[in-house]
């Protein structure tokens, strides 16, 4: 059971091992795309079609009857698993969660790991229970972070790590005694928006983290929304007044605790460009 690109490496790992048989693939149903009659299927759906697997796309699992199986594997699925299905497999219902549980339960663990400046990330293979991400842990692995990782990079690393870990757990499932999570240490992530705007009341470090997580942070420039795509910390601040500072060649973002130089921007309805090209374009318009 999976939907997003995060689940694809796990599906491929299971398909590649003749010791395992993928009986059915459950994924979220297709949804409309654009103005026409086209529909968009999930990455898992697309990959399952390539391999001719049996695919089911219910809007809800309530009342769903599963094929007899040894294990249910759930990875970034997006639907609630009813309690009656959790007791269906002979061995266990397993989930790959991209955090070092009990830290960052919930829907956005990778993003919160980066936004909070955690020194390490990781993957937990857990037993699915009725309580969110609270099941006993079969295996957990951590990887160090150096503070430069983007969401995209870390997402892919953890997806591949989780696939390998699950593969190993399945091979030795009978011999593993899962360890209960320490409830007192649990922290929770929340669903995040797709985009964010700059907040100068926050420090420069959180701004740079948001840039790595969301891929862009919106600012107001010349009365228009402009997305900052790339920026770096600088000591060349022209003054200490908090806000957007610009001259003929550079754009600075002055925070209360530091300054960033904007390198790449994306104006509304235009492609990404260097800050210098953007400012040249604005000046040329003003000159005409």
């Amino acid at each position: 059971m999976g939907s997003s690109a995060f689940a694809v490496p796990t599906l491929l790992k299971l398909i590649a091992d003749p010791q395992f048989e993928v009986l059915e693939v459950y994924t979220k149903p297709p949804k409309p795309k654009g103005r026409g009659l086209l529909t968009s299927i999930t990455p898992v759906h697309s990959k399952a079609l390539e391999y001719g697997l049996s695919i089911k796309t219910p809007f809800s699992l309530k009342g769903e009857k599963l094929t007899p199986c040894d294990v249910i594997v759930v990875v970034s699925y997006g639907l609630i698993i009813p309690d009656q299905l959790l007791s269906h497999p002979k061995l266990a219902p397993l989930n790959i969660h991209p955090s070092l549980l009990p830290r960052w339960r919930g829907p956005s663990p990778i993003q919160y790991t980066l936004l909070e400046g955690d020194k390490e990330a990781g993957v937990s293979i857990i037993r699915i229970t009725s309580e969110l991400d609270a099941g006993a842990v079969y295996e957990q692995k951590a990887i160090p972070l150096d503070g430069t990782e983007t969401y995209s990079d870390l997402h892919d690393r953890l997806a591949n790590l989780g696939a390998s870990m699950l593969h190993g757990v399945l091979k030795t499932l009978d011999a593993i005694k899962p360890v209960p999570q320490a409830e007192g240490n649990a922290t929770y992530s929340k669903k995040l928006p797709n985009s964010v705007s700059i907040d100068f009341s926050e420090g420069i470090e959180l701004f740079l983290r948001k840039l790595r997580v969301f891929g862009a942070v919106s600012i107001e420039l010349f009365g228009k929304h402009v997305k900052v795509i790339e920026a770096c910390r600088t000591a060349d601040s022209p003054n200490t007044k908090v806000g957007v500072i610009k001259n003929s060649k550079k754009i600075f973002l002055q925070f209360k605790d530091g300054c960033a130089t904007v390198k790449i921007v994306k104006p509304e309805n235009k492609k990404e460009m260097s800050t210098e090209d953007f400012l040249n374009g604005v000046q040329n318009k003003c000159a005409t």
Side-chain angles (χ1 to χ4, degrees):
M1 295 180 174
S3 297
S4 78
F6 187 86
V8 171
T10 298
L11 177 60
L12 292 176
K13 195 81 172 178
L14 295 176
I15 291 172
D17 191 336
Q19 182 179 344
F20 303 116
E21 180 184 3
V22 179
L23 299 175
E24 289 178 326
V25 173
Y26 277 77
T27 191
K28 292 180 75 174
K31 56 184 179 181
K33 180 181 180 181
R35 297 181 180 180
L37 299 177
L38 297 175
T39 57
S40 174
I41 62 176
T42 70
V44 167
H45 192 157
S46 177
K47 192 59 63 175
L49 284 174
E50 285 184 31
Y51 287 88
L53 300 175
S54 173
I55 303 167
K56 293 191 175 181
T57 59
F59 287 94
S60 169
L61 292 177
K62 187 176 181 180
E64 188 73 18
K65 295 186 182 300
L66 303 181
T67 299
C69 63
D70 295 317
V71 178
I72 293 174
V73 175
V74 180
V75 191
S76 188
Y77 181 25
L79 294 184
I80 295 173
I81 314 297
D83 287 349
Q84 71 267 20
L85 296 189
L86 298 181
S87 59
H88 176 78
K90 293 179 182 178
L91 299 178
L94 299 178
N95 172 240
I96 300 176
H97 187 81
S99 82
L100 299 172
L101 291 170
R103 187 164 177 79
W104 303 136
R105 295 175 179 177
S108 308
I110 302 175
Q111 295 95 319
Y112 270 70
T113 295
L114 295 175
L115 289 172
E116 293 296 320
D118 290 1
K119 300 301 182 185
E120 57 182 10
V123 172
S124 304
I125 309 297
I126 64 171
R127 186 181 185 95
I128 304 172
T129 64
S130 56
E131 186 178 350
L132 178 67
D133 301 327
V137 178
Y138 285 84
E139 187 176 10
Q140 188 172 87
K141 287 185 179 179
I143 59 173
L145 302 178
D146 62 16
T148 64
E149 294 83 2
T150 65
Y151 168 77
S152 178
D153 291 340
L154 186 56
H155 170 281
D156 293 349
R157 288 175 65 189
L158 296 181
N160 289 319
L161 175 61
S164 295
M165 288 171 60
L166 179 86
H167 184 256
V169 166
L170 289 177
K171 284 182 172 291
T172 57
L173 190 57
D174 288 334
I176 301 175
K177 185 177 181 180
V179 178
Q181 296 184 36
E183 282 297 318
N185 296 331
T187 61
Y188 293 85
S189 67
K190 298 178 181 179
K191 185 174 177 60
L192 294 172
N194 292 327
S195 60
V196 292
S197 297
I198 198 163
D199 184 348
F200 285 105
S201 68
E202 299 171 341
I204 186 173
E205 184 57 40
L206 184 53
F207 162 73
L208 294 173
R209 291 173 187 171
K210 285 184 175 181
L211 208 54
R212 295 195 298 271
V213 168
F214 294 98
V217 175
S218 294
I219 62 173
E220 286 282 337
L221 266 179
F222 305 104
K224 295 184 178 182
H225 290 291
V226 176
K227 290 182 178 180
V228 176
I229 304 299
E230 184 180 327
C232 64
R233 194 188 297 263
T234 180
D236 299 331
S237 175
N239 60 47
T240 58
K241 184 179 179 181
V242 172
V244 180
I245 306 164
K246 54 189 180 295
N247 57 35
S248 61
K249 293 185 177 181
K250 292 184 179 182
I251 298 172
F252 298 95
L253 304 175
Q254 180 65 56
F255 295 84
K256 58 187 177 181
D257 59 348
C259 184
T261 302
V262 178
K263 299 291 187 181
I264 299 175
V265 297
K266 186 182 184 303
E268 265 185 310
N269 302 318
K270 293 186 178 181
K271 64 181 182 179
E272 295 179 10
M273 63 184 70
S274 70
T275 299
E276 189 171 352
D277 287 344
F278 170 71
L279 291 173
N280 285 339
V282 172
Q283 291 164 12
N284 289 338
K285 281 186 178 180
C286 292
T288 57

